[in-house]
Amino acid sequence: MIQNEQIEICGLAFTFSIEVSNGSQLEIDLTAEPAPDLPDTHLVRFAAHARGDESLTICDLSVKWSVPAIDMHGFYAGPPAPEELAKLPYWWIRKQVGANSGFPFIALFHRGGANRFAFGLLDQITETALDGELVEATRSYQFHWHKPIGQAHLSTSELIETLFVSAARCPWPEVLRAYAHAVDRAWPQPKLPVPESAYEPVFCTWTAIHHDVSQAWVLDNARRAAALGFGTWLTDDGWFTSKASFADYRYTGDWQPDRAKFPDFVGHVHAVQEMGLRYVLWVAPFMVGDASQAARRDAHLLGEATTTMRFRNLSPRRRETRQVVGDLIERLMRDYELDGLKIDFVDALALDNLVTTDTDYCTLGEGVYDILSAAIDRAQAVKPDALIEFRNSYANLASRRYANIYRASDVPINFAMNRWQVTMLRLLAPDRAVHLDPALWHPGDSEENVAVHLINIICSVPMVSIELDRYPQAHLDLLRYWIGFYNTHRDTIIHGRFAPEIRLGHVPIIRFTGSSEQIVGIYDDVPCALGSDPLPLWILNASTRPFVEVSPDNLAGPHLVCTRDRFGRIIDERTITFPAACLPVEVGGSIEVRPL
């Protein structure tokens, strides 16, 4: 049985349809009210229940509407796909979101960054398909959102969903913030606390050495990393097998250290911690490789993954998986006395990864949320300030319950995309610690390029992964200076006001304003308005020009201007009376401006 209801909001007509399989007669209530954060923003509430006391078995809830493509040039749908972050779609859009991947929100905006229309669902758990198509005949976008998808059905006495609709004429990140606030008001879930240690610079093994990580390599490079100012060590994939190859996960699932590589795993963890580093370990708790003992032991729980990398997944729709994953997480934290875990491949859970029709959770999202919530509660019982990292593809508003670190992913050399991903994550979840993807560069690259790369990676919590014993001393000196700069100015960079300038697919400038200073990162050849705030100011030059163009310059009067090279050495210090149009500084260098 299908029932339809319509409502008009912000000049757009929305059609809500609900399909139930048990033939129940439904009573539907469809209302709208203004959202409290922004003008021209509404919350459309859809509620359906059966007449009488019978329960509902819901096959599908869908919303359809059309938007004229007027004065809009950009599109945002959240991580992980870069093409969905800037380009206005010119054919069709298909995105699936749920507790383990993305979140149900899109924005259409003007090329200057102002919102034109934004839409979101407040339910963050249920798997939802976000479909859109450009209809050339009408010059409009047609959208169709529907849930649940896959094999799921919703069994409930009453279904309530709320659609967020905004036509507010303001920067689209402000609309995203209002949407997140609406989610939090409707769903006040507990959130995993973020300890200050989550903001320490991280050294990761992955891009440096991939699966060839070993106890000897870790101890040597951890000592070097600690001396360079890093605060956290992350041992990534490869610690549990000597047979791994790239994109082949057949040996995952048992999660025991490989004794040939790590003859004393607990001892080496303690040794790294004694160097002043926290120790975080990589694990993919749902992943079971084809060659593992777990593949035989847990065969009744296994379903397919979304990749073809020689592994399957523990089904998140089976309650027994809750015990298996929880036991693993607690064992790793307790037996190896870890400071945290990098939890990977949550987004590889297929919507239909069932080996039987027996399910304990109605949807994949419900299972993922309950299983990971319980597992991280057990990790916290071992270590209350445990660090739990999620990649950006499954870092969303739901996963704040069981992750306190969100990380950009798979852009190790592309620092522009790395900075973009981090910017998007910081806007989405300012209450999480947001880490860069591990920075990597060639040991033969120029000092200028390395300095520019490092200026990029200190726009949030920096992460680096290179072979420290094989890089030139000049590169290590640059690394020591810029990691030191981040540590010295971390309060401003992390806890100050974060104000990126966002253009289509690019972030040319980011301003960080703290209680006692300002920092401006310039990442493209663009003029920079310095503002009129009397606080001391740092300008970091990651452009391609050996000067900073100040236009318009709102500073006035005499200021002490200290120019540093890319290693942080002072090369010039003089008094300049503003306004000034141009400040010379080498690429990869910085300028400090202090009022007199």
Side-chain angles (χ1 to χ4, degrees):
M1 177 178 179
I2 301 175
Q3 289 188 224
N4 300 320
E5 296 287 339
Q6 291 188 332
I7 192 170
E8 185 171 317
I9 298 292
C10 298
L12 305 179
F14 296 85
T15 299
F16 286 74
S17 300
I18 184 169
E19 178 182 0
V20 296
S21 63
N22 54 356
S24 302
Q25 293 295 314
L26 302 180
E27 292 185 356
I28 296 175
D29 186 29
L30 185 59
T31 59
E33 63 180 23
D37 296 303
L38 292 173
D40 297 320
T41 302
H42 302 268
L43 299 175
V44 183
R45 183 179 183 272
F46 178 91
H49 66 272
R51 294 170 183 169
D53 297 327
E54 58 186 309
S55 64
L56 298 176
T57 301
I58 298 165
C59 303
D60 183 70
L61 171 66
S62 73
V63 190
K64 294 182 179 181
W65 71 99
S66 179
V67 181
I70 298 172
D71 198 35
M72 55 182 63
H73 314 102
F75 178 75
Y76 169 81
E83 66 272 15
E84 293 186 347
L85 299 177
K87 299 175 183 176
L88 192 68
Y90 48 86
W91 290 119
W92 58 274
I93 310 151
R94 183 69 193 265
K95 187 177 181 68
Q96 294 182 344
V97 301
N100 71 315
S101 181
F103 59 102
F105 176 88
I106 61 172
L108 295 154
F109 52 89
H110 182 268
R111 62 187 179 276
N115 176 66
R116 290 300 177 255
F117 280 104
F119 312 95
L121 296 175
L122 298 196
D123 173 20
Q124 304 294 301
I125 298 297
T126 309
E127 300 83 76
T128 302
L130 310 179
D131 299 329
E133 180 183 7
L134 174 63
V135 181
E136 293 175 314
T138 61
R139 285 73 168 172
S140 299
Y141 284 103
Q142 290 184 355
F143 292 105
H144 178 205
W145 291 4
H146 56 101
K147 68 175 191 176
I149 52 178
Q151 295 181 354
H153 289 80
L154 297 176
S155 297
T156 181
S157 60
E158 182 181 35
L159 174 69
I160 298 176
E161 177 59 285
T162 302
L163 176 68
F164 173 96
V165 180
S166 180
R169 293 301 178 103
C170 63
W172 67 262
E174 294 183 18
V175 182
L176 176 63
R177 188 177 306 117
Y179 166 72
H181 290 166
V183 171
D184 286 343
R185 283 191 296 267
W187 184 38
Q189 63 164 341
K191 299 172 188 174
L192 187 65
V194 183
E196 190 61 26
S197 58
Y199 302 104
E200 293 281 353
V202 181
F203 191 91
C204 176
T205 64
W206 179 243
T207 51
I209 200 166
H210 288 137
H211 300 98
D212 295 330
V213 63
S214 67
Q215 182 168 310
W217 193 91
V218 167
L219 291 176
D220 179 41
N221 281 272
R223 174 179 54 81
R224 299 171 188 268
L228 291 171
F230 290 89
T232 296
W233 179 271
L234 197 167
T235 294
D236 213 290
D237 189 3
W239 57 273
F240 49 86
T241 181
S242 299
K243 302 176 183 179
S245 59
F246 198 78
D248 184 346
Y249 292 95
R250 75 183 75 181
Y251 301 105
T252 58
D254 297 327
W255 308 112
Q256 298 289 343
D258 183 86
R259 291 192 175 275
K261 289 183 172 184
F262 291 92
D264 181 8
F265 202 87
V266 174
H268 105 280
V269 169
H270 289 169
V272 170
Q273 290 167 334
E274 289 171 359
M275 297 174 189
L277 297 169
R278 290 164 186 84
Y279 200 108
V280 175
L281 187 66
W282 181 89
V283 66
F286 291 98
M287 179 187 285
V288 177
D290 296 345
S292 68
Q293 295 179 29
R296 296 183 292 276
R297 182 186 67 241
D298 298 325
H300 62 295
L301 295 175
L302 298 183
E304 296 306 314
T306 58
T307 67
T308 56
M309 298 182 184
R310 302 294 302 272
F311 74 91
R312 291 191 291 166
N313 281 316
L314 296 166
S315 173
R317 294 186 65 185
R318 300 291 295 276
R319 189 166 295 277
E320 190 178 343
T321 298
R322 187 180 196 262
Q323 188 68 40
V324 174
V325 170
D327 288 349
L328 168 63
I329 296 298
E330 181 178 349
R331 174 176 67 80
L332 294 176
M333 292 294 297
R334 188 181 304 280
D335 289 0
Y336 307 135
E337 301 182 28
L338 302 173
D339 295 295
L341 295 167
K342 172 186 173 180
I343 294 182
D344 212 346
F345 280 91
V346 178
D347 53 339
L349 293 166
L351 294 176
D352 298 324
N353 69 341
L354 307 176
V355 292
T356 72
T357 57
D358 297 329
T359 59
D360 301 301
Y361 298 101
C362 286
T363 65
L364 177 142
E366 180 186 346
V368 168
Y369 191 82
D370 185 59
I371 290 165
L372 289 176
S373 296
I376 300 309
D377 284 348
R378 293 175 68 174
Q380 276 193 289
V382 176
K383 188 171 182 59
D385 60 346
L387 304 175
I388 306 296
E389 178 197 292
F390 272 32
R391 283 191 295 111
N392 72 327
S393 54
Y394 45 94
N396 52 31
L397 297 178
S399 56
R400 294 175 297 172
R401 167 67 177 88
Y402 34 74
N404 47 29
I405 296 171
Y406 288 178
R407 178 179 63 83
S409 62
D410 301 328
V411 285
I413 288 182
N414 188 339
F415 54 73
M417 184 55 69
N418 209 351
R419 184 180 73 253
W420 173 269
Q421 287 189 18
V422 163
T423 298
M424 297 302 106
L425 286 171
R426 291 192 66 167
L427 293 174
L428 171 67
D431 59 348
R432 303 294 90 183
V434 176
H435 290 199
L436 278 290
D437 191 53
L440 173 71
W441 61 89
H442 195 283
D445 210 344
S446 69
E447 295 172 6
E448 176 182 294
N449 285 337
V450 173
V452 167
H453 200 149
L454 295 174
I455 290 174
N456 274 268
I457 71 163
I458 64 168
C459 69
S460 198
V461 182
M463 188 183 298
V464 173
S465 185
I466 61 173
E467 296 168 279
L468 292 173
D469 57 340
R470 297 189 178 184
Y471 274 65
Q473 185 60 47
H475 289 198
L476 301 182
D477 290 342
L478 287 168
L479 191 56
R480 179 181 293 105
Y481 172 68
W482 286 109
I483 293 298
F485 184 95
Y486 168 82
N487 284 329
T488 300
H489 301 276
R490 187 170 77 185
D491 190 63
T492 298
I493 294 171
I494 297 300
H495 301 300
R497 187 171 68 89
F498 177 73
E501 287 190 12
I502 301 175
R503 301 182 185 176
L504 293 178
H506 189 38
V507 183
I509 295 175
I510 302 177
R511 292 177 175 81
F512 312 85
T513 304
S515 59
S516 60
E517 65 176 356
Q518 304 169 82
I519 299 172
V520 179
I522 301 178
Y523 312 102
D524 204 349
D525 299 343
V526 294
C528 174
L530 300 183
S532 57
D533 199 306
L535 294 175
L537 168 70
W538 286 84
I539 305 172
L540 314 182
N541 184 18
S543 73
T544 68
R545 306 186 297 191
F547 61 88
V548 172
E549 182 182 355
V550 182
S551 176
D553 184 1
N554 295 320
L555 295 181
H559 288 70
L560 180 65
V561 176
C562 179
T563 305
R564 288 177 166 82
D565 67 10
R566 57 185 64 102
F567 292 91
R569 298 174 298 216
I570 297 175
I571 58 174
D572 185 58
E573 195 168 30
R574 67 180 67 183
T575 298
I576 293 180
T577 299
F578 285 84
C582 183
L583 300 175
V585 57
E586 71 177 20
V587 176
S590 62
I591 301 171
E592 184 181 6
V593 180
R594 292 183 174 272
L596 293 176

